Amino acid sequence: MTKEEKNQTSEEKNQTSEEKKYFAFISYSHKDKDAAKKLQNFIQGYKIPAKLEDRPDLPKRIGRVFRDEDELAGDELTPQIEEALRNSRYLIVVCSPNSANSKYVNEEIEYFKSLGGETKILPYIIAGKATTDEDPDCCYAPALKENQEKYQIVGGDAQENGAEAASVKLIAGMLKLEFSTLYDRFRKAEKRKRKIVITAITAFALLMAGVTTWILFLYGDLKRSNLIIENKNKEIEIKNKNIEIKNNELRDNNFRLDKAFKELVIEKANVEKAKNETDKANKELKLTNDKLDLTNDSLELKKLALEKTVRELDAKNLSLKESKSIILAENAMNKIGRRYYLGARRAALEAISLSYSPEAERALRQSWESNSGTLEGNSGYISSVCWSPDGKYLASDLEDDNVIIWDANSGERLKTLKGHSNSVSSVCWSPDGRYLASGSLDSTLIIWDVTGGESFKTLEGHSDEVYSVCWSPDGKYLASGSGGWNGDREIAELFIWDANSGKKLKTLEGHSSGVKSVSWSPDG
């Protein structure tokens, strides 16, 4: 490029940046909407190489590119289209048999030519033949045929070179750069991006492998601890059975002693009767009394033996309580190691109430050092959890169709709310804490009366799975998002509801895929 051409390009760029709002206007048939949209996104997102020694005047990016998203109506161009054409430096025509037969594409070309832009019209061929002859497969509109016959401007051919190469060729033409230089730099940049993505994926895979190994190690340690506890529980069961056997033996001894005592009373009565009858009876009575003394001595010995047995049983019972207290204290320490402080606190209190031990005291002190805890009771994954406004309760979903209310201080499971017919995906408290809203994969929302634990209202209207639900700050409205696939289209719904009546007030449109999360601004 000569010095004179450089100066001309720089002056033209400065004039364009001052007078033109758009760098280019894309003209296309709305049957080719997808190709036009991809072309617009590519040009606007294209980053011009920073090091071009002969063109220091180039910007970092192309700038804005106009593309009309609405079908034209009527016989003439709208004022808005004419305004956009006047404010565009280049006109890019998406060429196909569709655009060749579109009168609106032809009118846009004619109008741009009337503005003096004959040399700034670039064809972008996606289908058909690039010929000015009469051919049913010709991709040029009549006005573009005339222009090509006169100027023979080279554009981009996506059929021949691919969409990316054709788009870069258009950019090279608009910036007056060599296509080969620009495209080589583009391919090198794309190659660098792919290397970065591959490196990131490899690093993530290595990280996940390390995390999986660590989780398996922790699981094995927990399994060994549970096995030790199970063995100690079995030992306690065996000791309890032995105590029960000894208690049965003690009851049998007491029964025999009662029977012997009754026999002694009868025998004594007989001796007293015999003593009154004859002297012989007195002698016999004396002998009987001697026997009675011996029996009393034997009973005293048995009584002493019984008291000794009772003392031994009391000592064994005390030892059993101490053993159980130590086991409970060890269980509490295991839970502290897993950061389950609420469960550890309960186990330590039970241990120290059975029998004091240093282990129980240590577990109780450590369990009170933290107010955090783990709430256990869900059998599967949890999709959503939410605090009540006063901080006293937690709400979470279950893998099945229910919602759980937890006591945040004790960790107890207070209520289970049942009403959905599919998994719950989102929960949210009302600002006053009286109600709870839940969204489900059954396409419904339910407002719950938390005090009574019953459903207050069921909101129906979504056509697929509800992913997220959120109360407005004043508690009057609810927002909900859903998504899914319905035949040949993807569903993306965002609704605003009246929380009092349960009526759907508004539908917010604009998303092209499922709405996974919703949130209100602080002022509502």
Side-chain angles (χ1 to χ4, degrees), residues 41-247:
N41 292 337
F42 184 90
I43 295 175
Q44 291 187 150
Y46 182 80
K47 186 176 181 181
I48 299 172
K51 295 181 179 180
L52 288 174
E53 297 177 356
D54 57 340
R55 291 295 301 280
D57 59 304
L58 292 175
K60 291 183 179 180
R61 296 189 182 276
I62 295 294
R64 298 178 63 185
V65 175
F66 181 87
R67 179 180 63 86
D68 180 32
E69 295 188 359
D70 298 322
E71 292 281 0
L72 294 174
D75 297 329
E76 298 180 355
L77 298 179
T78 63
Q80 291 83 358
I81 296 298
E82 292 179 351
E83 177 69 18
L85 286 166
R86 287 195 299 272
N87 282 280
S88 298
R89 181 177 177 182
Y90 287 93
L91 174 64
I92 299 174
V93 182
V94 178
C95 297
S96 72
N98 296 325
S99 63
N101 296 318
S102 172
K103 72 171 186 175
Y104 299 110
V105 172
N106 196 65
E107 288 180 7
E108 288 171 347
I109 298 172
E110 291 285 8
Y111 186 78
F112 193 75
K113 288 166 65 177
S114 70
L115 300 174
E118 296 95 334
T119 60
K120 296 181 179 180
I121 303 175
L122 302 175
Y124 177 72
I125 303 168
I126 63 170
K129 296 180 181 178
T131 176
T132 57
D133 299 331
E134 293 297 328
D135 192 316
D137 293 329
C138 177
C139 63
Y140 290 155
L144 184 58
K145 280 185 181 181
E146 296 173 2
N147 207 63
Q148 287 296 89
E149 288 175 349
K150 184 175 181 181
Y151 297 103
Q152 296 182 349
I153 297 174
V154 178
D157 192 337
Q159 297 180 114
E160 181 179 350
N161 303 316
E164 288 184 347
S167 301
V168 174
K169 196 168 186 179
L170 290 177
I171 295 172
M174 291 188 289
L175 297 178
K176 294 182 171 53
L177 293 169
E178 289 292 334
F179 165 69
S180 58
T181 301
L182 205 59
Y183 189 60
D184 287 344
R185 290 174 180 267
F186 171 77
R187 293 178 62 188
K188 290 178 181 179
E190 290 297 307
K191 189 174 181 180
R192 286 196 298 273
K193 290 179 183 178
R194 284 193 294 270
K195 286 183 178 179
I196 291 172
V197 171
I198 292 171
T199 303
I201 291 173
T202 303
F204 179 75
L206 292 173
L207 176 62
M208 291 307 296
V211 171
T212 302
T213 303
W214 178 244
I215 290 173
L216 290 174
F217 172 76
L218 291 179
Y219 176 76
D221 189 37
L222 178 62
K223 196 171 182 180
R224 287 190 294 273
S225 299
N226 288 334
L227 184 59
I228 292 171
I229 293 171
E230 288 178 1
N231 290 335
K232 290 190 175 182
N233 286 334
K234 289 179 180 178
E235 291 176 1
I236 293 172
E237 289 178 1
I238 293 171
K239 290 181 179 179
N240 286 334
K241 288 181 180 179
N242 292 334
I243 292 172
E244 186 177 355
I245 291 170
K246 290 185 178 181
N247 285 334

Side-chain angles (χ1 to χ4, degrees), residues 395-415:
S396 70
D397 68 290
L398 271 176
E399 187 180 12
D400 54 14
D401 316 327
N402 303 326
V403 178
I404 298 178
I405 305 297
W406 305 84
D407 186 319
N409 292 321
S410 67
E412 292 183 2
R413 182 169 166 174
L414 300 178
K415 294 179 182 178

Side-chain angles (χ1 to χ4, degrees), residues 20-35:
K20 304 297 184 183
K21 183 178 180 181
Y22 303 106
F23 200 87
F25 182 108
I26 297 179
S27 178
Y28 65 99
S29 167
H30 278 263
K31 294 180 180 179
D32 302 327
K33 180 179 180 180
D34 292 341

